[in-house]
Amino acid sequence: MNYLALSKQILGMVVLPVYLLVVPMSAFAQEGDPVAGEKVFRQCASCHRVGEGAKNATGPVLNGVVGRPTASFEGYKYSDSLTSAGENGLVWSPEAIFAWLANPRDFIRAYTGDPEARTKMSFKLDDEQQRRDVIAYLGTLSTQEAAADGSSMSHGDTPFDEAMATGNADHLADMERVRQELVLPPNVPKHDQVAKGGPKIVEIELIVEEKSWVLDGDGTTIVALTYNGSIPAPMLIVHQDDVVELTLKNPESNLMEHNIDLHAATGALGGAGITTIAPGEESTIRFKATKTGTFLYHCAPEGSMTPYHVTHGMTGAITVLPRDGIKDENGKLLTYDKMYYVGENDFYVPRDENDDFKTYEDAGEDLGDWIEVMKTLLPSHVVFNGRVGALTGENAMMSQVGETVMFVHVTANRDSRPHLIGGHLDYAWETGSFISPPMRDLETMLVRGGSAGAAMYTFLQPGVYAYLNHNLIEAVELGAAGHVVVTGEWDDELMQQVYIGPLK
């Protein structure tokens, strides 16, 4: 058997590396088991839908994929590389799928002859029998089971119609427009603590960036998924009754679909149901900020892709201030001199056979490995602002004696216990709700997973304060700690050292 000739017949006339495309007949000597393949396919279901009524998600519908020309399912936006492969005659034969699943990136680069070719699929299935089983399972799926329209629509039955797309904007025509200039955490945009004038349309732009990201001083590196290139994503600040006009952009250089779920928004899954965009697309939504407080926002594709994106850095916070300012339980206005923003993220970096952290080249390449680690609920890193030490040393938060600082702390998955060693929380809104009276004089507050809390403190002594998650294991061993450096004069009345030395 001339296996190279067979490969060319199967995969087109481009000669491909033997290691990748020569599929010996022995590889198919043992038939795949569709029942076992259905179980293996659960790893693929994060991106691909199958069965009756299936629609495109992160990846195209796979009903009838065996024997289908590449990049041909209606309504799905394929990568340029796969589109080119389809135009050149690539068909998803069992042999082609077998080679593809082994390493999609190498496959498409070899087929196109382009060493820079990319595909949205980075997931690899190393086990040959599992590949055979998946192919057998896919072979049982009829083309007719797919939805009539193959349109890309995340979250299934989220309502969407033309009125939603155009909006009833007549009432917005006379509203003042302002554009919010976003800044990198832990800093926050310039804002008025008490609103000036009537409600406004606040224009905000977030750009998705998939990028290499170092988590710690040992050089542990992941391909992070970010809004505007930072972890956490930038703080957004508006006032109650403002209309947020948010544009989300997903550059063509990215590989994955993205969207945004804003816990401050009402309807359409916080916007996630109507903002899912492929690389090269953008989406604009408007929502009215009806509730005051601090809120989480994050990326929320379907299924396992939601925690996958969240644990790769796609979280942020939006603060909706009362129009007349934040007040205490007696209605007294509370103001702050500065605001700092702390994002707490948990990461689940896979390890290799030597127990070293693995590295990956493209977004999504770690999908299967990462999901398996996520399922253990044992993070490899729990950090503030994206990496161990992000808020220490030269990056520490700064203040001075007499200043009042508002801290906003957001966590997407795990409960956190923010604590300021050497200080207190004069006022705290654990749930982030400013309509609720603040708690007073706390040592530690609880910020629940999936939310953002806020606390205010006036510094009375100079020095270095540790701001940390008072799950001390996560703070000391996994990285959830930062510093506040405070300058000013020491007050002996509050504390003084009376004696230190040998036992008397």
Side-chain angles (χ1 to χ4, degrees):
M1 172 68 69
N2 184 333
Y3 294 122
L4 185 57
L6 173 64
S7 298
K8 291 167 68 176
Q9 292 175 14
I10 294 169
L11 300 169
M13 297 307 294
V14 178
V15 179
L16 304 173
V18 173
Y19 84 93
L20 181 64
L21 295 183
V22 174
V23 183
M25 295 308 295
S26 60
F28 288 90
Q30 179 180 348
E31 293 185 2
D33 178 356
V35 175
E38 184 175 9
K39 295 179 181 178
V40 177
F41 184 78
R42 292 171 186 169
Q43 301 176 68
C44 313
S46 298
C47 299
H48 294 280
R49 303 290 175 263
V50 297
E52 184 176 357
K55 293 184 179 182
N56 292 324
T58 302
V61 171
L62 294 184
N63 294 338
V65 68
V66 179
R68 187 167 80 198
T70 301
S72 64
F73 192 83
E74 182 180 356
Y76 184 76
K77 185 175 181 179
Y78 292 89
S79 66
D80 291 342
S81 299
L82 269 184
T83 300
S84 176
E87 292 172 349
N88 283 285
L90 179 59
V91 173
W92 288 128
S93 65
E95 294 83 0
I97 297 174
F98 187 86
W100 164 263
L101 289 174
N103 192 319
R105 183 187 63 236
D106 287 356
F107 178 100
I108 199 63
R109 288 178 178 178
Y111 186 86
T112 61
D114 178 4
E116 301 299 324
R118 305 179 82 196
T119 170
K120 297 178 187 177
M121 180 169 164
S122 300
F123 175 69
K124 302 173 186 176
L125 193 56
D126 295 326
D127 187 281
E128 290 189 1
Q129 185 57 49
Q130 288 187 344
R131 279 185 265 159
R132 285 192 288 267
D133 293 342
V134 166
I135 293 167
Y137 168 64
L138 293 174
T140 68
L141 302 173
S142 167
T143 304
Q144 284 70 35
E145 292 174 330
D149 68 341
S151 59
S152 178
M153 181 63 189
S154 184
H155 300 292
D157 297 326
T158 299
F160 183 84
D161 56 29
E162 189 63 26
M164 234 176 158
T166 59
N168 180 9
D170 292 345
H171 68 289
L172 304 180
D174 296 328
M175 289 181 66
E176 179 184 354
R177 284 181 169 270
V178 295
R179 184 173 182 83
Q180 185 150 107
E181 297 300 326
L182 302 180
V183 298
L184 294 177
N187 299 307
V188 303
K190 293 180 180 179
H191 60 278
D192 296 315
Q193 295 181 44
V194 176
K196 296 178 180 178
K200 298 173 175 58
I201 300 174
V202 183
E203 300 173 355
I204 294 172
E205 180 177 274
L206 292 175
I207 301 174
V208 176
E209 185 177 351
E210 301 169 0
K211 61 188 294 186
S212 178
W213 189 273
V214 179
L215 287 175
D216 56 31
D218 296 326
T220 305
T221 303
I222 65 170
V223 181
L225 309 177
T226 73
Y227 297 107
N228 286 30
S230 70
I231 301 176
M235 168 72 79
L236 318 178
I237 301 183
V238 299
H239 289 91
Q240 188 176 25
D241 296 331
D242 283 345
V243 173
V244 179
E245 185 172 281
L246 187 145
T247 297
L248 180 65
K249 296 184 176 182
N250 191 1
E252 289 186 359
S253 57
N254 291 334
L255 292 177
M256 307 189 80
E257 283 189 334
H258 298 281
N259 63 16
I260 189 166
D261 169 6
L262 298 115
H263 288 199
T266 302
L269 302 173
I274 55 174
T275 57
T276 300
I277 48 176
E281 296 180 338
E282 66 179 73
S283 175
T284 299
I285 61 171
R286 294 193 196 103
F287 68 91
K288 187 175 182 179
T290 59
K291 308 292 185 182
T292 68
T294 53
F295 302 87
L296 169 71
Y297 69 84
H298 60 93
C299 193
E302 290 189 276
S304 298
M305 293 304 284
T306 295
Y308 176 85
H309 282 233
V310 164
T311 59
H312 277 72
M314 293 197 83
T315 63
I318 176 171
T319 294
V320 181
L321 295 169
R323 298 201 68 78
D324 57 353
I326 300 171
K327 298 180 179 179
D328 69 8
E329 65 277 15
N330 299 313
K332 176 187 175 183
L333 183 66
L334 298 175
T335 62
Y336 45 87
D337 296 299
K338 60 179 59 173
M339 178 189 287
Y340 282 124
Y341 162 43
V342 179
E344 184 168 339
N345 290 81
D346 47 327
F347 296 92
Y348 299 81
V349 185
R351 294 179 181 270
D352 62 19
E353 60 277 6
N354 298 318
D355 204 35
D356 295 324
F357 288 123
K358 299 174 71 173
T359 58
Y360 303 84
E361 182 177 340
D362 292 323
E365 186 178 352
D366 62 354
L367 178 63
D369 295 341
W370 194 282
I371 289 176
E372 289 306 307
V373 182
M374 279 198 311
K375 289 178 181 177
T376 68
L377 301 180
L378 298 173
S380 60
H381 300 73
V382 180
V383 301
F384 290 169
N385 288 34
R387 57 175 57 91
V388 177
L391 296 177
T392 62
E394 294 181 356
N395 300 316
M397 297 173 281
M398 304 296 294
S399 187
Q400 56 187 337
V401 171
E403 273 193 335
T404 298
V405 177
M406 172 73 87
F407 295 95
V408 175
H409 193 110
V410 63
T411 175
N413 282 325
R414 299 161 60 86
D415 294 350
S416 183
R417 301 153 184 83
H419 175 84
L420 187 65
I421 298 180
H424 302 88
L425 307 177
D426 294 336
Y427 299 92
W429 298 265
E430 284 193 332
T431 63
S433 172
F434 291 136
I435 199 172
S436 302
M439 303 173 74
R440 299 288 299 270
D441 300 336
L442 298 189
E443 55 182 326
T444 303
M445 69 174 176
L446 172 65
V447 179
R448 299 145 178 83
S451 69
M456 192 181 291
Y457 179 64
T458 301
F459 285 95
L460 303 177
Q461 295 279 42
V464 178
Y465 293 72
Y467 180 100
L468 49 72
N469 177 344
H470 215 289
N471 179 329
L472 295 177
I473 301 166
E474 296 184 356
V476 176
E477 301 297 334
L478 301 185
H483 290 155
V484 183
V485 177
V486 180
T487 59
E489 295 296 323
W490 185 265
D491 186 348
D492 282 342
E493 185 176 341
L494 291 172
M495 178 182 285
Q496 61 178 307
Q497 186 178 67
V498 177
Y499 173 79
I500 185 171
L503 291 172
K504 293 182 178 181

